[in-house]
């Protein structure tokens, strides 16, 4: 052995962009490549970055295999570092080239730790042993795979055990991950939409705040909301006469019905008129004064939801509201999406009037920064702080088995931190 280790620096060009953005495929391929080369895996950690890119490392008893991918260029850079004579890193090189469907690969091999330049030192080996070994003495193997949603300065990561659903629909990439802390999680184009564990915060707050302040709600329109959580909560109000939901993407409905049953449970409710179509078109075609409440349960303002954040759309929503009507929208995170957040409130106030638009907050751990906002815009006299009588609210909270919303939370959610107040004036 002329050196301690072999380090192969690898470039793969013209790979499949889809494969280079698939954290589960990359993790499996790297682990197979390590094992086939004769290595013993100790640990692996992989992150997917939103919207694209994967980084990861497989730590092997004989050193490590590392990768970073740029799906947008079909390019992956890989380091294969092995020590000793038992592992052949070139086996990994070839396997990964095939796994990523690379047109072309190049590699440079370096010798690391030239024996001729090294001098052995004496030290007490026993005291340096890793105590965390399994009973037979071999290292314990662990695994870390992460989903990450980020912008250029902030990231939110959730550890998961793989993807349960992964479909490119006509509108967006629809995926469901099995997260370790938050149950199954729906993402659209790499952005977290909802998780089984904390979804109730969002869905209770987007629905019960308006439904328990409107004097007599009868007709409700939900735009978006394909996972079904908003519809589930709306339908808990038995006095409603009509609930229409317009979701543009049937794949969101499909993914939710299969993998998020506790959220999507009411999508087949007899009172729900579920329409798969463009919400903007539906609103444009709807009659004047036809809904008491319009809830815009949109994704973030990129991709198919972009039009749901436009002045023209909100003017149309205003038109189709009854005289006492309320519009509720999710209005992003004041911290993470500051620019959009400010614009949203300016736009609504231009349409509904300066004093007719209110902001309220809820704490949703799986949305970036955890602080999430909703807007309450009232066409007439309905006011968010004028709730139904307390006894009525308490009884509803109990019978509907709510976990976040209650009479006090309702009031408290409109108390804004000073920096948020200042943002929206
Ligand atoms: N960045 C998160 C935005 C969430 C928007 N809607 C979530 C859908 C839940 N029904």
């Amino acid at each position: 052995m002329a050196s301690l280790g072999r380090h192969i620096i690898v470039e793969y060009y013209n790979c499949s962009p889809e494969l280079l953005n698939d954290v589960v495929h990359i993790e499996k391929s790297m682990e197979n490549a390590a094992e086939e080369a004769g290595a013993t895996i100790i640990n692996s950690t992989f992150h997917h970055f939103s919207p694209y890119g994967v980084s990861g490392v497989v730590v092997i008893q004989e050193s490590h295999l590392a990768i970073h991918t740029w799906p947008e260029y079909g390019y992956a850079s890989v380091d294969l570092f092995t020590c000793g004579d038992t592992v052949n890193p070139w086996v990994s090189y070839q396997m990964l080239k095939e796994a990523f469907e690379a047109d072309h690969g190049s590699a440079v091999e370096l010798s690391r730790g030239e024996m001729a330049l090294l001098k052995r030192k004496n030290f007490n080996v026993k005291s340096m042993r890793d105590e965390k070994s399994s009973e037979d003495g071999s290292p314990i193997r662990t695994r870390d795979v992460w989903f990450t949603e980020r912008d250029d300065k902030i990231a939110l990561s959730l550890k998961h055990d793989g993807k349960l659903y992964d479909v490119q629909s006509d509108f967006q990439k629809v995926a469901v991950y099995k997260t370790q802390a938050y149950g199954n999680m729906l993402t659209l184009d790499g952005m977290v939409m909802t998780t089984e564990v904390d979804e109730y915060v969002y869905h209770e707050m987007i629905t019960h705040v308006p439904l328990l302040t409107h004097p007599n709600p009868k007709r409700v329109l939900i735009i978006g909301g394909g996972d079904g959580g908003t519809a589930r909560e709306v339908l808990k109000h038995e006095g409603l006469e009509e609930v229409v939901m317009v979701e543009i993407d049937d794949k969101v409905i499909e993914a939710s019905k299969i993998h998020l049953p506790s959220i999507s449970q009411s999508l087949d409710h007899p009172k729900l008129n579920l329409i798969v179509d463009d919400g903007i078109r539906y609103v444009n075609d709807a009659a004047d004064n036809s809904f008491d409440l319009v809830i815009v349960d949109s994704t973030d303002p990129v991709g198919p939801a972009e039009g749901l954040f436009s002045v023209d759309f909100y003017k149309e929503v205003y038109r189709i509201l009854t005289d006492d009507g309320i519009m509720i929208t999710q209005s992003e995170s004041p911290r993470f999406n500051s620019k959009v957040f400010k614009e949203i409130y300016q736009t609504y106030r231009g349409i509904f009037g300066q004093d007719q638009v209110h902001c309220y907050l809820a704490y949703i751990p799986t949305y970036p920064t955890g602080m999430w906002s909703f807007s309450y815009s009232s066409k007439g006299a309905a006011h968010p702080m004028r709730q139904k009588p307390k006894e009525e609210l308490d009884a509803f909270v109990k019978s509907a088995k709510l976990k976040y919303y209650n009479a006090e939370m309702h009031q408290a959610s409109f108390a804004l931190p000073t920096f948020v107040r200042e943002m929206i004036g």
Side-chain angles (χ1 to χ4, degrees):
M1 203 169 60
S3 65
L4 290 179
R6 304 168 73 184
H7 191 170
I8 305 193
I9 298 172
V10 181
E11 319 249 57
Y12 293 121
Y13 292 97
N14 278 333
C15 305
S16 152
E18 286 74 32
L19 293 177
L20 289 193
N21 203 33
D22 184 339
V23 67
V24 175
H25 174 78
I26 292 175
E27 186 213 11
K28 270 197 200 117
S29 306
M30 293 283 283
E31 292 200 341
N32 287 345
E35 280 173 340
E36 284 300 309
T40 303
I41 298 175
I42 295 172
N43 171 281
S44 63
T45 180
F46 282 82
H47 288 253
H48 175 255
F49 299 106
S50 171
Y52 37 71
V54 170
S55 286
V57 183
V58 179
V59 179
I60 54 178
Q61 207 162 348
E62 303 81 4
S63 198
H64 67 266
L65 280 63
I67 186 165
H68 189 78
T69 73
W70 283 260
E72 68 277 32
Y73 296 112
Y75 168 75
S77 81
V78 173
D79 277 6
L80 306 170
F81 193 126
T82 62
C83 301
D85 297 325
T86 53
V87 182
N88 181 357
W90 288 103
V91 172
S92 306
Y93 169 83
Q94 196 50 37
M95 282 188 73
L96 292 173
K97 186 166 179 246
E98 284 158 26
F100 304 147
E101 295 176 3
D103 265 6
H104 174 71
S106 72
V108 180
E109 178 166 345
L110 303 174
S111 293
R112 304 295 300 270
E114 281 296 336
M115 291 308 275
L117 301 174
L118 298 172
K119 197 166 156 211
R120 211 178 162 91
K121 308 242 187 246
N122 283 328
F123 67 100
N124 181 356
V125 181
K126 224 173 174 213
S127 67
M128 296 179 79
R129 280 245 159 87
D130 178 5
E131 283 169 16
K132 270 209 223 138
S133 292
S134 62
E135 275 167 13
D136 67 1
S138 49
I140 294 166
R141 178 166 169 178
T142 55
R143 183 169 175 263
D144 278 340
V145 189
W146 296 82
F147 164 91
T148 299
E149 178 177 341
R150 68 166 185 194
D151 68 3
D152 53 344
K153 300 193 190 86
I154 304 175
L156 161 87
S157 293
L158 291 137
K159 203 192 255 193
H160 65 84
D161 292 326
K163 269 191 220 174
L164 304 171
Y165 188 95
D166 191 13
V167 169
Q168 176 63 50
S169 75
D170 290 343
F171 306 97
Q172 56 208 340
K173 181 109 174 148
V174 183
V176 177
Y177 292 82
K178 189 172 188 292
T179 75
Q180 292 187 0
Y182 284 91
N184 292 353
M185 168 176 79
L186 172 72
T187 66
L188 299 179
D189 284 340
M191 290 170 282
V192 178
M193 288 299 122
T194 197
T195 78
E196 287 179 315
V197 171
D198 70 351
E199 56 87 12
Y200 62 89
V201 181
Y202 180 96
H203 294 125
E204 289 182 15
M205 291 304 277
I206 203 170
T207 53
H208 304 311
V209 169
L211 283 166
L212 293 168
T213 50
H214 190 285
N216 189 21
K218 291 290 172 207
R219 303 188 65 200
V220 177
L221 171 63
I222 304 164
I223 299 293
D227 53 70
T230 297
R232 182 196 63 201
E233 293 304 309
V234 166
L235 289 161
K236 289 180 179 172
H237 295 261
E238 287 169 0
L240 298 174
E241 285 166 6
E242 187 180 4
V243 182
V244 181
M245 180 175 136
V246 189
E247 164 61 51
I248 198 167
D249 195 342
D250 63 336
K251 295 297 176 207
V252 174
I253 297 172
E254 177 181 274
S256 306
K257 280 190 169 176
I258 302 172
H259 297 294
L260 304 167
S262 60
I263 304 177
S264 60
Q265 57 182 261
S266 301
L267 286 175
D268 294 318
H269 193 289
K271 207 192 258 181
L272 180 68
N273 178 8
L274 172 55
I275 299 170
V276 177
D277 202 350
D278 181 358
I280 299 177
R281 191 168 41 231
Y282 184 88
V283 169
N284 289 345
D285 292 346
D288 292 1
N289 300 85
S290 47
F291 287 98
D292 300 308
L293 171 61
V294 175
I295 299 177
V296 186
D297 182 6
S298 65
T299 59
D300 301 291
V302 282
E306 235 175 299
L308 296 178
F309 286 79
S310 73
V311 182
D312 290 347
F313 174 68
Y314 298 122
K315 281 188 179 156
E316 286 297 290
V317 171
Y318 185 86
R319 179 184 62 75
I320 69 167
L321 282 174
T322 50
D323 293 344
D324 265 336
I326 301 170
M327 175 181 83
I328 299 289
T329 69
Q330 71 87 3
S331 52
E332 301 289 311
S333 160
R335 275 265 184 239
F336 192 68
N337 316 85
S338 319
K339 187 167 171 284
V340 182
F341 175 74
K342 285 187 213 160
E343 282 167 8
I344 283 174
Y345 284 87
Q346 251 175 12
T347 306
Y348 297 173
R349 287 187 169 145
I351 298 168
F352 285 81
Q354 183 67 20
D355 301 331
Q356 297 294 98
V357 180
H358 309 265
C359 170
Y360 61 103
L361 300 175
Y363 296 90
I364 305 177
T366 55
Y367 288 169
T369 75
M371 178 194 258
W372 210 254
S373 74
F374 300 89
S375 73
Y376 180 114
S377 304
S378 176
K379 190 168 175 179
H383 192 280
M385 304 306 262
R386 280 197 289 276
Q387 299 158 278
K388 302 244 184 291
K390 168 118 170 72
E391 308 71 57
E392 209 182 302
L393 287 188
D394 290 349
F396 176 77
V397 166
K398 201 162 169 221
S399 71
K401 298 193 173 64
L402 303 189
K403 292 189 277 186
Y404 190 86
Y405 180 94
N406 57 45
E408 294 75 20
M409 206 59 217
H410 180 130
Q411 296 284 320
S413 68
F414 286 87
L416 302 179
T418 309
F419 84 91
V420 178
R421 263 196 221 160
E422 284 171 356
M423 286 173 86
I424 57 179

